[in-house]
Amino acid sequence: MSEGNPNLDLATALPVSFIGPPERWISIGLKELWEYRELLYFLTWRDIKVRYKQTALGAAWAVIQPVFMMLVFSLFFGRLAKVPSDGIPYPIFTFCALLPWQLFAHALTESSNSLVGKQRGRR
């Protein structure tokens, strides 16, 4: 043992762990998902009904909202600002960009709402 450096004794006494990647991909369980497809269907249907129950347009709002955003973006960026789209029709160009962005924004919002809800539930 080293008498001059007490940290050296502590470092040699601690176990060493190596973290590495798994040897193969994690299975998502497609067989099990297929077995419980009815449960997945009913849970999805319940979520859709609850989400759009209070809206006048219902589930059509999920389609109308991205279309209106596409129209607004096409008007402002395509017509007024003249942002180039490399030959692609501008409504298609903006729609292809808005769909993944809205998916990401919705997922981030719902995940943060979930964390806040769990935090409130713990108290």
Side-chain angles (χ1 to χ4, degrees):
M1 295 284 161
S2 141
E3 294 177 16
N5 190 352
N7 291 334
L8 184 62
D9 292 335
L10 183 62
T12 56
L14 294 176
V16 176
S17 297
F18 293 101
I19 300 174
E23 294 185 16
R24 59 185 205 111
W25 289 90
I26 298 172
S27 173
I28 58 172
L30 291 177
K31 182 180 177 187
E32 187 177 5
L33 187 63
W34 182 253
E35 289 175 7
Y36 294 105
R37 66 186 178 273
E38 290 179 12
L39 176 63
L40 182 64
Y41 168 76
F42 285 117
L43 290 174
T44 305
W45 183 249
R46 183 195 67 178
D47 189 40
I48 290 171
K49 283 186 350 186
V50 167
R51 175 170 293 152
Y52 299 112
K53 186 177 183 179
Q54 300 293 323
T55 62
L57 297 173
W61 181 249
V63 176
I64 293 171
Q65 183 188 16
V67 170
F68 279 143
M69 286 187 67
M70 174 201 58
L71 292 173
V72 169
F73 273 66
S74 296
L75 175 69
F76 284 106
F77 290 113
R79 300 271 185 216
L80 300 176
K82 305 254 191 257
V83 175
S85 65
D86 294 333
I88 301 170
Y90 212 83
I92 295 172
F93 180 74
T94 57
F95 198 67
C96 289
L98 283 172
L99 285 180
W101 172 253
Q102 285 183 331
L103 176 67
F104 170 74
H106 180 72
L108 187 64
T109 301
E110 290 300 314
S111 63
S112 61
N113 287 343
S114 174
L115 289 174
V116 169
K118 297 285 185 199
Q119 185 65 27
R120 288 183 186 154
R122 272 183 32 178
R123 290 180 184 181

